[in-house]
């Protein structure tokens, strides 16, 4: 039987973790996680102010007095009812649920997470690595010391200088005719192994900083199929450096794994399979890691920038901000735009412009390369028509996916 919570001295259950303040759109949010049930929620700064003081030592009157001093208004009966309705709905207070009820909520949460995704966003879980990441974080704690991190950064910087000053020779060895048929599949296998180390890098870093790692798997997000490590708890870390470090750990491990490969390349002779394979691994492994640092397309670089700026979802919020700016300027839209603080409006504007310029640049380069090959086969005019048709199809697919994500979000919110 569920015990009644002590509302005179309310206390959040010990498994409830409150995250730091993050900018989200025109407001501030805090993430809340119930480690027992796996539930994750967002609350505003006022709800966070109240919840942070629900520690069993503050009375309701005391919390109300501090709230009035902070916000200049008292908490009336309706406000308290709404607050306790929120806490009761998710069973966040001690005494609001027994073990059986919490287990039921955990099962319901797990069932929701296991549902298949959509054709533009789906994931397949391969591992639940939390215990392994915890053990590795304990044994590798020395690697997070500032001196160790500085040495690792210097080593990977030296590796990149070595690789890109020899890029021509590496490319020639990687594409050597005598070993080309075997190099491609073997490089893919080794890069998949490097990717696994990359994802464990995220997981071990998050465990070191105090979070949990629920899964490692493969994710399809139109139009990319990629490995991922689920690090939702990073939003609960109060230290900004810990959040950025968790996002960067994958790329750092990625490059550290490549450190012995130049020795392999130097010790093998031209034309040998090992020589071509090591060259391919150095060139494409380094290139992939550096591309991952770009602050676009929800790669690690964009996640690092997101955490460095203290935002909850820089890319998504910037997209929504630009949709408002480009929509019809009704009074409601103008009011929503005016709600954005000046700093956030400048940030979302600049990020949207840079992302758009980058996308246009990359797409133009791809089209130019493709045109150079295509026009030799079918002629200039046909090549232009083919590329125009491809562009129209791609624009239609992206527009359809955007509408699908919007309707999906509305369904979830409703």
């Amino acid at each position: 039987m569920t015990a009644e919570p002590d509302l005179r001295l309310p206390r959040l259950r010990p498994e409830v973790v409150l995250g730091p303040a993050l900018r989200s759109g025109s407001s501030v949010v805090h993430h809340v996680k119930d480690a027992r049930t796996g539930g994750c929620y967002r609350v505003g700064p006022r709800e966070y102010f109240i919840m942070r003081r629900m520690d069993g030592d503050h009375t309701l009157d005391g919390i109300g007095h501090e709230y009035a001093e902070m916000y200049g208004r008292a908490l009336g009966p309706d406000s308290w009812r709404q607050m306790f309705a929120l806490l009761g709905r998710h069973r966040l207070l001690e005494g609001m649920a027994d073990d059986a009820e919490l287990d039921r909520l955990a099962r319901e949460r797990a069932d929701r997470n296991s549902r298949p995704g959509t054709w533009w966003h789906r994931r397949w879980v391969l591992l639940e690595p939390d215990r392994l990441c915890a053990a590795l974080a304990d044994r590798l704690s020395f690697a997070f010391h500032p001196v160790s991190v500085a040495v690792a950064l210097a080593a990977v910087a030296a590796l990149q200088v070595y690789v890109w000053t020899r890029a021509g020779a590496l490319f020639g060895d990687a594409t050597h005719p005598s070993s080309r048929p075997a190099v491609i599949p073997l490089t893919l296998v080794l890069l998949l192994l490097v990717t696994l180390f990359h994802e464990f890098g995220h997981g071990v870093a998050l465990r070191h900083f105090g979070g949990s790692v629920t899964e490692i798997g493969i994710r399809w997000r139109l139009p990319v199929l990629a490995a991922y490590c689920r690090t939702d708890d990073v939003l609960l870390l109060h230290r900004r450096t810990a959040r950025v470090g968790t996002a960067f750990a994958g790329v750092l491990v990625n490059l550290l794994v490549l450190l012995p490969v130049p020795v392999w390349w130097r010790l093998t002779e031209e034309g040998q399979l090992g020589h071509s394979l090591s060259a391919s691994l150095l060139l494409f492994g380094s290139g992939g890691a550096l591309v991952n640092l770009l602050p676009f397309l929800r790669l690690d670089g964009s996640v690092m920038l997101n955490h460095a700026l203290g935002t909850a979802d820089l890319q998504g919020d910037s997209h929504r901000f630009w949709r408002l700016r480009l929509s019809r300027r009704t009074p409601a839209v103008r009011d929503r735009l005016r709600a954005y603080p000046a700093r956030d409006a400048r940030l979302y504007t600049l990020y949207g412009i840079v992302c758009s310029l980058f996308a246009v640049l990359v797409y133009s380069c791809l089209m130019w390369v493709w045109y150079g090959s295509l026009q030799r086969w079918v002629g200039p005019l046909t090549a232009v028509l083919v590329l125009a048709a491809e562009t129209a199809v791609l624009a239609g697919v992206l527009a359809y996916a955007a509408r699908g994500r919007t309707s999906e979000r509305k369904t979830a919110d409703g």
Side-chain angles (χ1 to χ4, degrees), residues 23-325:
R23 297 298 310 177
S24 178
S26 59
S27 60
V28 172
V29 298
H30 294 262
H31 289 81
V32 179
K33 179 178 179 180
D34 184 346
R36 173 68 182 274
T37 65
C40 299
Y41 319 103
R42 278 186 174 193
V43 298
R46 298 184 182 228
E47 291 84 358
Y48 171 81
F49 183 92
I50 297 170
M51 293 173 70
R52 193 164 63 88
R53 286 157 176 77
M54 290 185 167
D55 53 7
D57 294 327
H58 288 75
T59 64
L60 291 185
D61 288 341
I63 296 173
H65 181 70
E66 292 186 37
Y67 183 95
E69 288 184 342
M70 180 68 182
Y71 293 105
R73 54 172 294 183
L75 280 168
D78 288 341
S79 298
W80 279 118
R81 273 195 294 271
Q82 292 174 10
M83 190 70 214
F84 281 109
L86 169 68
L87 298 169
R89 184 163 62 250
H90 303 301
R91 308 294 193 270
L92 299 180
L93 279 182
E94 278 193 344
M96 279 189 166
D98 57 17
D99 289 342
E101 175 72 4
L102 295 175
D103 290 340
R104 182 186 65 78
L105 293 174
R107 287 193 300 271
E108 290 178 354
R109 179 77 180 183
D111 290 342
R112 286 195 296 271
N113 287 338
S114 63
R115 292 173 185 171
T118 62
W119 69 272
W120 57 76
H121 189 194
R122 184 183 294 265
R123 73 179 191 277
W124 296 268
V125 179
L126 303 179
L127 298 170
E128 294 180 356
D130 192 57
R131 294 179 62 182
L132 177 57
C133 287
L136 290 173
D138 184 55
R139 296 193 176 203
L140 298 174
S141 59
F142 67 90
F144 295 90
H145 191 278
V147 174
S148 299
V149 174
V151 171
L153 290 173
V156 298
L159 173 67
Q160 291 312 292
V161 171
Y162 182 86
V163 167
W164 299 111
T165 54
R166 295 163 176 79
L170 288 169
F171 184 79
D173 291 339
T175 57
H176 197 281
S178 64
S179 54
R180 188 183 301 165
V183 165
I184 294 176
L186 289 175
T187 299
L188 289 176
V189 170
L190 289 177
L191 288 179
L192 285 174
L193 184 60
V194 171
T195 300
L196 182 62
F197 282 107
H198 174 113
E199 303 307 335
F200 267 101
H202 290 305
V204 172
L206 182 58
R207 282 297 308 190
H208 172 78
F209 291 122
S212 61
V213 188
T214 55
E215 58 192 51
I216 287 177
I218 304 295
R219 176 164 49 204
W220 162 255
R221 188 191 295 274
L222 185 75
V224 177
L225 182 68
Y228 75 94
C229 177
R230 191 158 186 174
T231 56
D232 297 346
D233 281 9
V234 72
L235 297 173
L236 303 173
L237 303 179
H238 285 258
R239 288 172 49 208
R240 190 170 304 201
T241 52
R243 300 196 298 272
V244 175
T246 299
F248 179 59
V251 173
L252 182 58
V253 170
N254 206 145
L255 295 174
L256 287 173
V257 170
L258 297 178
L259 285 177
V261 181
V263 178
W264 182 17
W265 183 56
R266 299 288 295 188
L267 293 179
T268 51
E269 297 180 1
E270 184 178 350
Q272 292 182 343
L273 176 61
H275 195 69
S276 296
L277 186 57
S278 58
S280 179
L281 193 59
L282 275 176
L283 193 61
F284 297 109
S286 295
L290 295 181
V291 167
N292 219 341
L293 290 176
L294 292 173
F296 313 109
L297 300 176
R298 297 193 182 276
L299 299 174
D300 288 341
S302 68
V303 178
M304 291 170 61
L305 180 62
N306 188 54
H307 294 318
L309 295 173
T311 51
D313 182 9
L314 175 61
Q315 194 171 52
D317 288 334
S318 179
H319 176 72
R320 286 184 283 273
F321 176 79
W322 272 98
R323 288 190 66 177
L324 285 175
R325 289 197 63 169

